[in-house]
Amino acid sequence: MLTLLNRYLIALLVALFSLAGCKQQATNERETKAETTHTHNEEPADIVELTDDQIRIGGIRLGKIDYRNLSQQLTVNGRLAVPAQSQVNVSALLGGFIRTIPLLPGQPVTKGQVLARIENPDLIQLQQDYAETYSRLTFLETEFARQKELSEQNVSALKVFQQTSADLKATRARLAGMAHRMRLVGLSTQAALDGKFSSMYVLTAPVAGVVTSLSTTAGQYVQPSDVIAQLTSSHGLYAELTVFEKDLPQLREGQRVVIRLTNENGRERYGRIKHINQSIDADRSVRVVAQLDQPAAHLTPNTFLKASLDLGDSRVTALPEGAIVSAEGKDYIFVVTNEQAPKHHEHEEKSEANHQPDEAEQHGTSFKQIQVRRGVTEGGYSQITLPSTIDLATTKVVTNGAYAVLSQLQAAGGHEEGHAH
């Protein structure tokens, strides 16, 4: 009877130990799963693994980061400008009433083109005085010849001859002045001698250019000091660049400049620095004059521009343009890494039981996304500034097909975000 009781007690203890073991195993499995999930959440999101087939299809090539001689450039802002000689204020030579002014703002004009017709009644008196002075001069020339002959024969007093000579010179000077005033306003001296007087004169364009502003209207009385219109000529057009004080030591006269106007969709024009102003403005900038190699007549003064100044070659770290990608306003490259890309654990757990080892399974290559700062680009290569942790001697980098790697990285990130939700 005692032996039978002992057997029952042993069986009961075995059952209790078995139940405790099952509970501990379930607890351990939950903890392991939690640790796996936690580890998965901490895996880096800037690493992606590609198979050999994906690398081949994406045209991805690997290489090293090289040093290359690239020309360094300084980019500045500026505007087109013209010299003071090409900006003309048109004023009336003589006061008068504007009778016609056939001009519009923005209208192109040629040199000598009529800008306005001005009427001044005083012109009648000017022409009349000219005709009378001319007649007086004719008389004095005859009288001078007669008095000279009489003086040589001692028939007339020398004083009379001298007075006639002085009157002749004064009359000639007065007539020349009147003739010059008439020619300034375009009046004919011969028409005045013929008695054909005019109270109207024309105002012509002193230069070829464009009418930039009009300050008067028809019927208005203007003085010689009044500005009737403003003309701007494109002759001598140049680029005025704004360069900050700290960059001045890098500039020199004759330096090459590439100019891009804001209204020409990236078209490049070329020029050279002609003058560097020695005056520094309040914002610590200096005005620099660059002469265009091929100025065009249609270019408009005050057009904004961007200019790149060649500062010479410098040896820098560089990669092909196909090695650099842009995302969210930042530049990146991809380097080969031994770190592992994130795994999609749900799918692995579901297929773990049915997964059979494959001798031809491809483990692939892992790539890590590295942020860089892009510099000047020349000849298909771009300067890059790398983190200090990158070893140039040993690091392998994607030199072509970087966007294919980026698309795989983004696809993997989007897939995991979907599981996270």
Side-chain angles (χ1 to χ4, degrees):
M1 183 70 181
L2 181 61
T3 302
L4 182 61
L5 180 61
N6 289 339
R7 289 178 180 177
Y8 281 123
L9 288 174
I10 292 171
L12 180 60
L13 289 173
V14 170
L16 290 174
F17 280 118
S18 299
L19 180 60
C22 291
K23 290 182 179 180
Q24 182 64 33
Q25 182 179 359
T27 301
N28 292 339
E29 288 179 355
R30 286 196 297 272
E31 290 178 353
T32 301
K33 185 175 182 181
E35 289 177 1
T36 302
T37 303
H38 180 69
T39 303
H40 172 65
N41 290 336
E42 290 184 350
E43 287 176 329
D46 56 354
I47 296 176
V48 63
E49 182 177 341
L50 302 184
T51 65
D52 292 342
D53 286 340
Q54 288 175 315
I55 293 175
R56 178 178 53 80
I57 294 172
I60 299 168
R61 292 197 295 269
L62 304 180
K64 294 290 187 69
I65 302 171
D66 296 327
Y67 283 96
R68 297 184 69 89
N69 289 325
L70 299 182
S71 61
Q72 299 300 297
Q73 293 184 338
L74 173 66
T75 301
V76 298
N77 296 321
R79 67 182 183 94
L80 292 180
V82 292
Q85 185 66 28
S86 297
Q87 302 179 62
V88 181
N89 288 333
V90 179
S91 302
L93 297 172
L94 295 174
F97 294 94
I98 297 178
R99 293 311 179 194
T100 60
I101 181 168
L103 298 177
L104 292 172
Q107 175 182 340
V109 296
T110 58
K111 184 177 180 178
Q113 180 177 332
V114 174
L115 302 181
R117 297 183 183 276
I118 299 175
E119 184 178 18
N120 186 340
D122 293 340
L123 291 177
I124 301 295
Q125 186 63 49
L126 174 62
Q127 296 166 87
Q128 180 181 340
D129 291 344
Y130 177 83
E132 292 175 354
T133 303
Y134 186 85
S135 299
R136 171 74 176 165
L137 178 63
T138 303
F139 167 75
L140 287 175
E141 288 176 343
T142 302
E143 181 64 15
F144 174 80
R146 189 175 72 84
Q147 290 296 333
K148 182 179 180 182
E149 183 179 354
L150 292 176
S151 176
E152 290 175 350
Q153 297 175 1
N154 294 322
V155 174
S156 174
L158 180 61
K159 181 179 180 180
V160 176
F161 171 70
Q162 291 175 340
Q163 182 64 48
T164 303
S165 177
D167 290 345
L168 176 62
K169 292 179 181 179
T171 303
R172 282 176 175 170
R174 186 162 52 253
L175 188 69
M178 292 179 180
H180 184 66
R181 291 176 63 190
M182 292 175 62
R183 283 193 292 270
L184 282 176
V185 294
L187 296 178
S188 170
T189 55
Q190 186 59 48
L193 295 178
D194 295 338
K196 299 177 181 178
F197 300 157
S198 173
S199 62
M200 194 87 67
Y201 74 94
V202 296
L203 195 61
T204 59
V207 296
V210 175
V211 179
T212 54
S213 68
L214 291 171
S215 307
T216 56
T217 58
Q220 182 177 342
Y221 185 85
V222 291
Q223 299 284 358
S225 59
D226 295 334
V227 176
I228 295 176
Q230 290 182 327
L231 304 181
T232 300
S233 171
S234 60
H235 180 71
L237 189 78
Y238 64 91
E240 182 184 77
L241 312 180
T242 302
V243 180
F244 287 103
E245 178 184 11
K246 64 181 179 65
D247 298 319
L248 281 181
Q250 304 179 83
L251 304 187
R252 65 186 184 279
E253 293 185 0
Q255 196 167 1
R256 192 72 172 164
V257 180
V258 179
I259 297 169
R260 299 175 184 84
L261 303 181
T262 56
N263 58 1
E264 288 192 333
N265 297 322
R267 175 183 174 180
E268 292 185 348
R269 296 181 178 272
Y270 303 95
R272 294 185 182 274
I273 293 179
K274 187 175 182 181
H275 302 296
I276 300 176
N277 198 343
Q278 300 302 309
S279 175
I280 300 178
D281 294 341
D283 61 353
R284 312 310 297 173
S285 65
V286 173
R287 307 299 174 184
V288 175
V289 174
Q291 197 71 45
L292 298 177
D293 290 346
Q294 295 180 336
H298 71 275
L299 296 181
T300 306
N302 291 320
T303 300
F304 287 109
L305 59 86
K306 284 189 176 295
S308 299
L309 291 84
D310 186 4
L311 303 181
D313 290 345
S314 179
R315 190 168 177 80
V316 296
T317 52
L319 280 173
E321 293 184 64
I324 306 172
V325 296
S326 297
E328 298 180 355
K330 298 178 181 179
D331 294 318
Y332 300 93
I333 63 172
F334 289 95
V335 300
V336 177
T337 181
N338 292 327
E339 299 180 48
Q340 294 299 312
K343 304 296 183 182
H344 307 303
H345 296 283
E346 283 189 22
H347 292 281
E348 291 176 357
E349 290 172 0
K350 289 180 180 179
S351 60
E352 194 175 48
N354 298 326
H355 179 69
Q356 299 295 331
D358 186 357
E359 294 180 357
E361 183 178 2
Q362 298 183 22
H363 296 287
T365 305
S366 294
F367 299 95
K368 184 172 184 178
Q369 186 182 47
I370 303 294
Q371 184 178 347
V372 298
R373 188 170 71 249
R374 190 199 299 251
V376 64
T377 297
E378 181 183 23
Y381 281 81
S382 295
Q383 175 190 1
I384 57 170
T385 302
L386 297 160
S388 58
T389 55
I390 298 296
D391 185 357
L392 299 183
T394 60
T395 300
K396 288 185 178 181
V397 63
V398 174
T399 58
N400 187 70
Y403 272 103
V405 182
L406 178 65
S407 64
Q408 291 294 331
L409 177 64
Q410 292 174 339
H415 181 77
E416 290 196 6
E417 287 177 3
H419 284 297
H421 290 298

PDB file of all heavy atoms in Angstrom, residues 167-179:
ATOM      1  N   ASP A 167      34.541 148.085 -85.710  1.00  0.00           N
ATOM      2  CA  ASP A 167      33.119 147.776 -85.959  1.00  0.00           C
ATOM      3  C   ASP A 167      32.969 146.521 -86.799  1.00  0.00           C
ATOM      4  O   ASP A 167      32.068 145.694 -86.585  1.00  0.00           O
ATOM      5  CB  ASP A 167      32.447 148.964 -86.648  1.00  0.00           C
ATOM      6  CG  ASP A 167      32.289 150.165 -85.739  1.00  0.00           C
ATOM      7  OD1 ASP A 167      32.435 149.998 -84.502  1.00  0.00           O
ATOM      8  OD2 ASP A 167      32.022 151.278 -86.255  1.00  0.00           O
ATOM      9  N   LEU A 168      33.857 146.364 -87.763  1.00  0.00           N
ATOM     10  CA  LEU A 168      33.793 145.199 -88.634  1.00  0.00           C
ATOM     11  C   LEU A 168      34.029 143.912 -87.834  1.00  0.00           C
ATOM     12  O   LEU A 168      33.297 142.917 -87.980  1.00  0.00           O
ATOM     13  CB  LEU A 168      34.828 145.315 -89.743  1.00  0.00           C
ATOM     14  CG  LEU A 168      34.946 144.115 -90.696  1.00  0.00           C
ATOM     15  CD1 LEU A 168      33.630 143.888 -91.445  1.00  0.00           C
ATOM     16  CD2 LEU A 168      36.090 144.320 -91.692  1.00  0.00           C
ATOM     17  N   LYS A 169      35.039 143.923 -86.978  1.00  0.00           N
ATOM     18  CA  LYS A 169      35.336 142.728 -86.179  1.00  0.00           C
ATOM     19  C   LYS A 169      34.202 142.403 -85.211  1.00  0.00           C
ATOM     20  O   LYS A 169      33.836 141.238 -85.027  1.00  0.00           O
ATOM     21  CB  LYS A 169      36.639 142.939 -85.419  1.00  0.00           C
ATOM     22  CG  LYS A 169      37.869 143.004 -86.306  1.00  0.00           C
ATOM     23  CD  LYS A 169      39.126 143.249 -85.473  1.00  0.00           C
ATOM     24  CE  LYS A 169      40.359 143.328 -86.371  1.00  0.00           C
ATOM     25  NZ  LYS A 169      41.583 143.587 -85.590  1.00  0.00           N
ATOM     26  N   ALA A 170      33.642 143.424 -84.574  1.00  0.00           N
ATOM     27  CA  ALA A 170      32.546 143.192 -83.634  1.00  0.00           C
ATOM     28  C   ALA A 170      31.319 142.634 -84.342  1.00  0.00           C
ATOM     29  O   ALA A 170      30.628 141.736 -83.840  1.00  0.00           O
ATOM     30  CB  ALA A 170      32.206 144.486 -82.901  1.00  0.00           C
ATOM     31  N   THR A 171      31.035 143.133 -85.520  1.00  0.00           N
ATOM     32  CA  THR A 171      29.864 142.676 -86.273  1.00  0.00           C
ATOM     33  C   THR A 171      30.048 141.231 -86.729  1.00  0.00           C
ATOM     34  O   THR A 171      29.111 140.429 -86.707  1.00  0.00           O
ATOM     35  CB  THR A 171      29.612 143.582 -87.472  1.00  0.00           C
ATOM     36  OG1 THR A 171      29.442 144.938 -87.014  1.00  0.00           O
ATOM     37  CG2 THR A 171      28.380 143.160 -88.238  1.00  0.00           C
ATOM     38  N   ARG A 172      31.272 140.903 -87.148  1.00  0.00           N
ATOM     39  CA  ARG A 172      31.546 139.521 -87.533  1.00  0.00           C
ATOM     40  C   ARG A 172      31.356 138.563 -86.353  1.00  0.00           C
ATOM     41  O   ARG A 172      30.790 137.474 -86.500  1.00  0.00           O
ATOM     42  CB  ARG A 172      32.972 139.412 -88.059  1.00  0.00           C
ATOM     43  CG  ARG A 172      33.146 139.915 -89.490  1.00  0.00           C
ATOM     44  CD  ARG A 172      34.604 139.854 -89.884  1.00  0.00           C
ATOM     45  NE  ARG A 172      34.779 140.221 -91.286  1.00  0.00           N
ATOM     46  CZ  ARG A 172      35.964 140.438 -91.869  1.00  0.00           C
ATOM     47  NH1 ARG A 172      37.089 140.315 -91.140  1.00  0.00           N
ATOM     48  NH2 ARG A 172      36.034 140.775 -93.142  1.00  0.00           N
ATOM     49  N   ALA A 173      31.810 138.948 -85.175  1.00  0.00           N
ATOM     50  CA  ALA A 173      31.662 138.105 -83.987  1.00  0.00           C
ATOM     51  C   ALA A 173      30.191 137.940 -83.614  1.00  0.00           C
ATOM     52  O   ALA A 173      29.739 136.836 -83.276  1.00  0.00           O
ATOM     53  CB  ALA A 173      32.432 138.701 -82.821  1.00  0.00           C
ATOM     54  N   ARG A 174      29.447 139.029 -83.671  1.00  0.00           N
ATOM     55  CA  ARG A 174      28.027 138.963 -83.329  1.00  0.00           C
ATOM     56  C   ARG A 174      27.291 138.076 -84.322  1.00  0.00           C
ATOM     57  O   ARG A 174      26.423 137.273 -83.945  1.00  0.00           O
ATOM     58  CB  ARG A 174      27.451 140.378 -83.305  1.00  0.00           C
ATOM     59  CG  ARG A 174      26.003 140.429 -82.820  1.00  0.00           C
ATOM     60  CD  ARG A 174      25.583 141.833 -82.380  1.00  0.00           C
ATOM     61  NE  ARG A 174      25.871 142.831 -83.390  1.00  0.00           N
ATOM     62  CZ  ARG A 174      26.855 143.732 -83.280  1.00  0.00           C
ATOM     63  NH1 ARG A 174      27.649 143.730 -82.214  1.00  0.00           N
ATOM     64  NH2 ARG A 174      27.049 144.624 -84.233  1.00  0.00           N
ATOM     65  N   LEU A 175      27.612 138.185 -85.592  1.00  0.00           N
ATOM     66  CA  LEU A 175      26.951 137.374 -86.614  1.00  0.00           C
ATOM     67  C   LEU A 175      27.290 135.888 -86.436  1.00  0.00           C
ATOM     68  O   LEU A 175      26.420 135.028 -86.587  1.00  0.00           O
ATOM     69  CB  LEU A 175      27.384 137.839 -87.996  1.00  0.00           C
ATOM     70  CG  LEU A 175      26.628 137.208 -89.170  1.00  0.00           C
ATOM     71  CD1 LEU A 175      25.185 137.707 -89.179  1.00  0.00           C
ATOM     72  CD2 LEU A 175      27.307 137.557 -90.496  1.00  0.00           C
ATOM     73  N   ALA A 176      28.533 135.589 -86.102  1.00  0.00           N
ATOM     74  CA  ALA A 176      28.927 134.192 -85.898  1.00  0.00           C
ATOM     75  C   ALA A 176      28.183 133.592 -84.710  1.00  0.00           C
ATOM     76  O   ALA A 176      27.764 132.425 -84.733  1.00  0.00           O
ATOM     77  CB  ALA A 176      30.433 134.110 -85.676  1.00  0.00           C
ATOM     78  N   GLY A 177      28.016 134.367 -83.639  1.00  0.00           N
ATOM     79  CA  GLY A 177      27.276 133.883 -82.477  1.00  0.00           C
ATOM     80  C   GLY A 177      25.825 133.591 -82.797  1.00  0.00           C
ATOM     81  O   GLY A 177      25.265 132.568 -82.372  1.00  0.00           O
ATOM     82  N   MET A 178      25.200 134.497 -83.563  1.00  0.00           N
ATOM     83  CA  MET A 178      23.804 134.281 -83.954  1.00  0.00           C
ATOM     84  C   MET A 178      23.661 133.037 -84.825  1.00  0.00           C
ATOM     85  O   MET A 178      22.725 132.243 -84.669  1.00  0.00           O
ATOM     86  CB  MET A 178      23.285 135.503 -84.712  1.00  0.00           C
ATOM     87  CG  MET A 178      23.140 136.748 -83.860  1.00  0.00           C
ATOM     88  SD  MET A 178      22.552 138.151 -84.850  1.00  0.00           S
ATOM     89  CE  MET A 178      22.478 139.424 -83.598  1.00  0.00           C
ATOM     90  N   ALA A 179      24.617 132.876 -85.744  1.00  0.00           N
ATOM     91  CA  ALA A 179      24.559 131.721 -86.642  1.00  0.00           C
ATOM     92  C   ALA A 179      24.698 130.418 -85.839  1.00  0.00           C
ATOM     93  O   ALA A 179      24.024 129.419 -86.125  1.00  0.00           O
ATOM     94  CB  ALA A 179      25.662 131.819 -87.690  1.00  0.00           C
TER      95      ALA A 179
END
